[in-house]
Amino acid sequence: MVGHKVKLQSNDGDTFDVEVDIAKQSVTIKTMLEDLGMEEEEVIPLPNVNSAILKKVIQWATHHKDDPPPPEDDENREKNTNDISTWDLDFLKVDQGTLFELILAANYLDIKGLLDVSCKSVANMIKGKTPEEIRRTFNIKNDFTPQEEEQIKKENECKNRDISLNFAQLTATNPDLIGILFVMSIKPKDSTSLFASVTDVSYFHTEDEVLFSMHTVFRIGDIKSMDGNNHLYQVI
Amino acid sequence: MPFIGRDWRADGEQWTKTEIGSWERPRRLSLSSSLLNVNSSLSDVFNALEIANSVSNIRRFNYIAKVVQILFKDKLGELSGNAQRSLFQVIGRMIDMVLKTGDNISLMQRIVTQFHNSIHSAYPFYYYIGSAPLWQRHIEMLTRMQETIKQVQTNMIKTDEDSSKLTFNCLPVEMQREVLRRLDNGTDIVNVGMINSNIYRVSQELLIWRQLCLYHFGGDTQNSNNSKLGEKILGLMRRQQDDIDTNDIDWKNAYFKLKRQYGLREVYAEMIHQCQLCKCLYWQDSNHTCPYETLSPSSIPITPRKLVTMLI
């Protein structure tokens, strides 16, 4: 079937002649040709794709027409966002509007490979950035109220208290152990013992860890039981 | 006196232009240069594997970043002068890459800051090889790199995109979900969720977190949509409260707990391999001409940590 061509028509009227093998990388087009029995002389209309994007898609499909089908282990492969070939990288050096249009087109035409690399390149633009930087990269307005933002930040942030609580709760299964959560407050002006923040040198650099020197003495303010059955206490 | 050098009557050498504009002789990857002798030093191996140039290859960048991190975190005291120079050359090229593409900024900043702090605190450098002025110069270079990266961050004010074009926010939810599914770090998902209420809703979906947990902590389970959740996840659930319904797990919480306990999984697009027959090191994507061609080829991938142990 080499050499047979099909005509693809974009939504602004341009027609493109494409070889059948290349066009069949799109599962949508493949279905239209095979199951719906469309003749190869007919023009296949693609109402959701404009001609500029269709041209890019055909360019990608032509380059990748000899690709082997991807292995079944999709779930793990899709997280490897650096696994993009140099040609694809160059192909995707377009402005953001075009990149997102490519994603939509790949989804409509059901071309898994193109959807994969374009989503991966968007993911690469997100990785490692703070929310404000991501907003600036994609030019998106923040529509949270300050209270909502605070609440989300509290939920998501290192959860300093939650982390310690996790450790204390590990005793829940053992009836002989009691978990105790110490809440320590320090006034640097009044205290004479040494302490330091070890966040930068600690293995867990997402937690704010503070190291106290030995023999630091604390005064206990209050002891409360935190859950009903006296297995967890909080000392302030 | 005739100059001591190659015979001027012979053909000249071949010079090729590199990406950064300088000229260099072609690298002859002869077997002796990539062979792992006991005596081959870090800078030799870096040269043979073209680490400095590979930085521009997106597939190798993460691997090299990890090697650099291990080198300056653990092995700084054992680096010879030449090795220090190679290390700084690689870091310099990485920063050039970051300036060009704008990706990985925070990674580079973290690397440079940690490096700078670890040297700075070690004054007066009794445990490092090299004189004190040399290490002072290293510190200055790192400070300059820090300034460069800070400049990149402040210049990142993106030119205003045409508001009629498509933005990430305008993508349908399914597409946003597809992009989020390709992030392999929970912090990234949380950060992207904080930019907008629409995306926040997508980032809170449990399915994404479930996939993330299974990817990092699922063990060797091949298929992900099944009841065999891998021992690490089951262990965590057993330690928590008593009756956990498998359909009702808070995957987001579970991810962060498991991450602290086990650490994340490291996956690289392209790794360095070692041929088992001739003990040669080479990049996964490049060819390797083994002298023992008659035997069947076999090679093992080398993790960054193993590479560092081999080199030092």
Side-chain angles (χ1 to χ4, degrees), chain A residues 164-179:
Chain A
S164 328
L165 207 49
N166 275 340
F167 280 119
Q169 278 174 338
L170 292 179
T171 64
T173 49
N174 189 336
D176 295 332
L177 299 176
I178 297 181

Side-chain angles (χ1 to χ4, degrees), chain B residues 113-128:
Chain B
T113 321
Q114 282 176 344
F115 199 170
H116 180 264
N117 289 346
S118 60
I119 304 185
H120 203 71
S121 52
Y123 187 81
F125 316 125
Y126 288 141
Y127 302 111
Y128 294 157

Side-chain angles (χ1 to χ4, degrees), chain A residues 79 82-83 128 143 207, chain B residues 59 62 106 181-182 197 260:
Chain A
K79 297 236 185 262
N82 289 330
D83 197 2
D143 65 350
E207 300 170 19
Chain B
R59 292 163 60 93
N62 278 356
S106 50
R181 266 172 53 173
R182 276 157 178 88
S197 51
R260 295 192 55 260

Side-chain angles (χ1 to χ4, degrees), chain A residues 71-80 112 116 120, chain B residues 181-184 207-208 210-212 214-215 221-225 265:
Chain A
E72 266 314 303
D73 191 5
D74 274 342
E75 300 275 334
N76 289 338
R77 271 182 62 250
E78 71 183 12
K79 297 236 185 262
N80 197 348
K112 201 161 194 313
D116 199 34
K120 275 183 186 170
Chain B
R181 266 172 53 173
R182 276 157 178 88
L183 293 169
D184 64 348
L207 197 56
I208 301 181
R210 178 179 191 270
Q211 264 186 355
L212 201 60
L214 288 173
Y215 172 73
T221 54
Q222 284 296 349
N223 40 348
S224 61
N225 46 341
R265 181 172 145 177

Side-chain angles (χ1 to χ4, degrees), chain A residues 75-76 78-83 89 95 97 100 103-104 107 116 119-120 122-124 126-129 131 133 135-136 139-144 152-153 155-156 159 163 166-167 170 204 207, chain B residues 58-59 62 103 106 114 153 156 158 160-161 165-169 171-172 175 178-179 181-184 188 190-192 194-197 200 211-212 215 224 239 252-253 257 260 267-269:
Chain A
E75 300 275 334
N76 289 338
E78 71 183 12
K79 297 236 185 262
N80 197 348
T81 57
N82 289 330
D83 197 2
L89 258 183
D95 60 289
F100 293 129
I103 294 184
L104 287 178
N107 184 44
D116 199 34
C119 286
K120 275 183 186 170
V122 177
N124 278 339
I126 294 178
K127 270 193 177 175
K129 294 199 167 114
E133 288 168 352
R135 272 189 219 120
R136 264 189 281 160
N139 212 5
I140 297 183
K141 293 232 181 344
N142 181 7
D143 65 350
F144 286 121
I152 301 181
K153 265 202 210 146
E155 279 176 14
N156 284 330
K159 305 186 191 190
I163 291 173
N166 275 340
F167 280 119
L170 292 179
F204 300 108
E207 300 170 19
Chain B
I58 183 180
R59 292 163 60 93
N62 278 356
D103 288 337
S106 50
Q114 282 176 344
Q153 281 186 317
M156 243 186 65
K158 198 78 177 162
D160 211 62
E161 300 274 345
K165 289 205 171 173
L166 211 53
T167 60
F168 188 56
N169 202 19
L171 281 182
M175 296 294 102
E178 283 289 317
V179 173
R181 266 172 53 173
R182 276 157 178 88
L183 293 169
D184 64 348
D188 286 328
V190 164
N191 278 343
V192 84
M194 285 185 48
I195 70 178
N196 205 330
S197 51
Y200 178 66
Q211 264 186 355
L212 201 60
Y215 172 73
S224 61
R239 273 201 313 273
K252 188 169 172 185
N253 232 344
K257 286 190 191 150
R260 295 192 55 260
V267 171
Y268 304 104

